[in-house]
Amino acid sequence: MDIKNKSLLKNLSYVDGEWINANDGSVTEILNPANSESLGSVPNCGSSETVAAIEAATKAQTKWSKADVKERALVLRNLHRLMLENQDDLAKIITFEGGKPISESVGEIAYAASFFEWFSEEAKRVYGDVIPGHQYDRRTLVIKQPIGVVGCITPWNFPSAMLARKIAPAIAVGCSIVSKPAPETPFSALAMAYLSELAGLPKGVLNIVTGDAEQIGAALTGHKDIRKITFTGSTSVGKLLLKQSAESVKKVSLELGGHAPFIIFDDADLDAAVDGALIAKYRNSGQTCVCANRIYVQSSIYDDFCERFTQKTSGLLVGNGLEEKTQQGPLISNNAMKKVSLHIKDAKDKGAKIATGGNPHALGGLFFEPTVLTGVTDDMLIAKEETFGPVAPIFSFESEQEVIRRANDTSYGLAAYFYTSDLGKSWRVSEQLEFGMVGLNTGIISTEMAPFGGIKESGLGREGSKYGVDDYLEMKYISLAGIEE
Ligand code: SIN
């Protein structure tokens, strides 16, 4: 990988402040999805290396939880600064391993760094409570304490931001972490571990174990010293981790799949809605869990919207993410290509029209044409499943109640979007959409300052914002008696 600061390129796991190989010396090769070239390899660790990391984290946690809060805040501020000082190189690493267009990768590093800044501030605001005693000589105190060692599993689509969103609150409140990056994108996580060392994080507080997903996941969920699991990824893996964690009753946060409706009412600003839908659909080539997956347009403006949206979609530049002008990079894998093709074929077979795209891109490999489908109906696969690719299915609707019912008709509940200029409708629809996050007249909802997370089968818990520390804390009530002389 051609970057300026070569020290960021680590190809070993990071345990107890040491860079380690797998015990059996085995490695996994990492490929650039844009051209299938090898980017190097990382250790193929399993249970035993994970258990060693948990032991190191357990030892480190006792000390870290007693560090002055200002020391923890300073480490996080340092990490924020170091991430931004290395922004271009870290962005290139994301693009090399995940294929993301470089402008989006630069944005992801700023997003990741923002969590370190935010939680450096929140570290000082872990407030408790004093409650009137239920008897005259009693007082009731509530304190919040770090939950302990956190097992963390992160996805390939935001390899830097999702790790930062999980480890920043953990570090802030005095937890230690054992983290497994996605097999496709380990280098961003390893670079962050290297920077955490420079930022002054004591050894053992952050451990990164690369390798076998099943073995590492089972070791994390099965170990008694892991008190919390935090995971971003598919709903099916999230359910498995939840089941595995039940045995020792761990606290679990899950940020899982989504199937976001994007609704455009006929009183909306249509230009703004087209631009909002474009970013909500094609950010990271449609590979985000908050992507617009079902675009509902009121019938009186359907043709107009489809025409404008299709025109902009067909102008999106597909290419290697390292080229500055690229707006759509490759997909992550052959399975992703297959799912996209399947959704398009199914929709076509059931009567949808392809307004643009519809095929693998002429560049070959993992590139797919940004695609718009019109005349999409609720019986099609794409109406029911998350696509995770650059396909925009456009449905037509007549009334407010009808579209709310159809939007909510899913087991997912992560993000929803709608455009309207009617104030009453803004409230009514926001309140009735069964999703954890609603974008009203915007296609971008991600920020470190708001609580990110879903309901129903899209997850448990919230990340970012003032609520983001709660998942890393335990509440303790102290009943103080014997006050009277
Ligand atoms: C995700 O797709 O998992 C997260 C996207 C975001 O934070 O914007």
Side-chain angles (χ1 to χ4, degrees):
M1 286 182 264
D2 180 22
I3 65 171
K4 283 199 196 108
N5 183 0
K6 299 274 189 227
S7 321
L8 294 167
L9 294 177
K10 298 291 179 204
N11 59 2
L12 296 174
S13 288
Y14 184 66
V15 173
D16 204 12
E18 306 288 333
W19 295 97
I20 64 150
N21 280 301
N23 290 342
D24 65 2
S26 63
V27 295
T28 308
E29 199 179 9
I30 309 301
L31 303 181
N32 180 343
N35 52 23
S36 299
E37 281 174 12
S38 175
L39 298 172
S41 61
V42 293
N44 188 27
C45 296
S47 310
S48 55
E49 297 87 344
T50 310
V51 170
I54 296 170
E55 284 166 3
T58 307
K59 227 166 60 203
Q61 202 267 326
T62 312
K63 241 173 127 186
W64 185 239
S65 64
K66 293 183 183 143
D68 285 349
V69 70
K70 288 198 176 185
E71 184 186 335
R72 299 201 296 261
L74 178 64
V75 168
L76 291 169
R77 278 207 303 282
N78 289 343
L79 254 168
H80 170 249
R81 175 180 48 77
L82 287 162
M83 294 282 294
L84 294 182
E85 280 172 11
N86 290 282
Q87 186 168 14
D88 289 344
D89 280 346
L90 293 169
K92 276 192 182 167
I93 295 176
I94 293 178
T95 297
F96 272 115
E97 61 184 358
K100 188 175 282 190
I102 191 71
S103 57
E104 287 191 38
S105 298
V106 169
E108 180 177 340
I109 296 303
Y111 184 38
S114 74
F115 291 105
F116 292 121
E117 182 186 48
W118 175 264
F119 285 107
S120 74
E121 294 153 357
E122 288 303 292
K124 303 171 196 162
R125 299 192 186 102
V126 180
Y127 300 136
D129 228 339
V130 182
I131 299 172
H134 67 288
Q135 289 170 343
Y136 184 70
D137 77 334
R138 290 212 187 205
R139 301 293 178 270
T140 300
L141 310 180
V142 176
I143 61 170
K144 309 252 182 86
Q145 295 178 296
I147 193 164
V149 185
V150 175
C152 169
I153 303 177
T154 52
W156 50 263
N157 63 341
F158 288 86
S160 193
M162 296 305 98
L163 181 59
R165 190 155 81 184
K166 294 175 188 308
I167 69 171
I171 292 171
V173 303
C175 295
S176 59
I177 304 121
V178 178
S179 189
K180 185 198 83 63
E184 297 84 351
T185 56
F187 293 117
S188 294
L190 296 171
M192 199 179 287
Y194 165 70
L195 292 180
S196 76
E197 210 173 59
L198 297 189
L201 193 68
K203 66 180 195 146
V205 177
L206 173 63
N207 305 274
I208 306 283
V209 184
T210 58
D212 187 282
E214 269 175 47
Q215 276 195 39
I216 298 172
L220 290 174
T221 51
H223 200 290
K224 69 173 178 32
D225 289 342
I226 294 282
R227 291 312 316 144
K228 179 185 171 61
I229 294 288
T230 173
F231 168 71
T232 293
S234 70
T235 295
S236 56
V237 174
K239 286 180 181 177
L240 178 68
L241 294 170
L242 191 58
K243 269 192 206 140
Q244 290 176 342
S245 299
E247 189 59 35
S248 49
V249 195
K250 299 188 196 311
K251 192 164 173 170
V252 178
S253 307
L254 302 171
E255 202 258 275
L256 307 176
H259 189 32
F262 191 107
I263 304 165
I264 300 138
F265 288 100
D266 59 9
D267 55 30
D269 173 340
L270 203 53
D271 287 332
V274 168
D275 288 344
L278 213 67
I279 186 84
K281 176 67 256 180
Y282 295 112
R283 180 167 161 247
N284 199 16
S285 306
Q287 301 174 111
T288 83
C289 48
V290 290
C291 266
N293 217 48
R294 297 170 286 155
I295 302 179
Y296 295 100
V297 183
Q298 203 148 16
S299 59
S300 59
I301 56 166
Y302 187 83
D303 290 343
D304 197 3
F305 176 87
C306 289
E307 196 185 317
R308 295 194 209 186
F309 184 78
T310 301
Q311 197 191 6
K312 290 213 169 172
T313 298
S314 53
L316 291 172
L317 210 71
V318 181
N320 186 321
L322 286 175
E323 288 155 19
E324 288 290 335
K325 287 190 185 144
T326 293
Q327 293 167 300
Q328 295 287 283
L331 300 190
I332 194 70
S333 64
N334 279 318
N335 279 345
M337 295 285 283
K338 278 190 202 145
K339 187 161 195 196
V340 163
S341 298
L342 175 71
H343 278 192
I344 294 172
K345 181 177 179 319
D346 173 81
K348 229 173 94 184
D349 289 350
K350 291 177 180 154
K353 299 266 172 299
I354 296 177
T356 186
N359 294 301
H361 195 275
L363 286 171
L366 298 176
F367 292 94
F368 204 95
E369 292 173 343
T371 298
V372 177
L373 300 173
T374 58
V376 182
T377 50
D378 293 354
D379 58 329
M380 298 173 185
L381 214 48
I382 203 160
K384 301 181 183 122
E385 288 180 4
E386 185 179 31
T387 308
F388 235 66
V391 186
I394 313 187
F395 304 74
S396 168
F397 73 92
E398 299 298 332
S399 73
E400 184 180 320
Q401 279 317 309
E402 174 208 334
V403 78
I404 290 170
R405 181 187 50 74
R406 288 169 68 193
N408 287 341
D409 186 19
T410 169
S411 57
Y412 293 107
L414 190 60
Y417 307 83
F418 70 102
Y419 274 67
T420 180
S421 57
D422 178 317
L423 183 61
K425 198 183 284 176
S426 300
W427 275 106
R428 281 195 307 276
V429 177
S430 295
E431 288 177 0
Q432 289 180 79
L433 284 171
E434 294 167 0
F435 295 83
M437 299 174 286
V438 175
L440 168 53
N441 293 331
T442 178
I444 287 279
I445 52 175
S446 305
T447 160
E448 81 282 11
M449 292 163 68
F452 192 105
I455 61 173
K456 293 158 86 177
E457 293 188 21
S458 285
L460 295 171
R462 293 294 180 270
E463 295 187 317
S465 83
K466 69 172 180 175
Y467 305 104
V469 290
D470 293 349
D471 272 311
Y472 298 88
L473 292 167
E474 288 287 20
M475 185 186 289
K476 183 181 285 173
Y477 138 57
I478 302 168
S479 183
L480 186 64
I483 288 172
E484 285 302 289
E485 279 185 341

